[in-house]
Amino acid sequence: METYTWLDDLLVVACRIRQPFRSEIFVARVPPDEFVATIDEAARLLDS
């Protein structure tokens, strides 16, 4: 599995899963502010 992340206007996370006869690519695009808010909320929930 390979994972790449870069910041354009959106945070882009691309993941390639290699299989013997083919590869699959999954891409997620998230607004940076929304990503930070999600991580912040997850950290708050894990801390409680």
Side-chain angles (χ1 to χ4, degrees), residues 13-34:
V13 181
C15 178
R16 179 167 69 174
I17 299 173
R18 292 183 183 209
Q19 298 178 358
F21 299 105
R22 65 181 177 140
S23 292
E24 294 188 56
I25 299 173
F26 301 92
V27 178
R29 294 175 181 88
V30 183
D33 293 342
E34 186 177 321

Side-chain angles (χ1 to χ4, degrees), residues 4-14 27-35:
Y4 302 94
T5 307
W6 65 92
L7 184 59
D8 206 357
D9 290 335
L10 299 173
L11 176 65
V12 181
V13 181
V27 178
R29 294 175 181 88
V30 183
D33 293 342
E34 186 177 321
F35 179 79

Side-chain angles (χ1 to χ4, degrees), residues 30-42:
V30 183
D33 293 342
E34 186 177 321
F35 179 79
V36 170
T38 301
I39 297 298
D40 187 44
E41 181 64 21

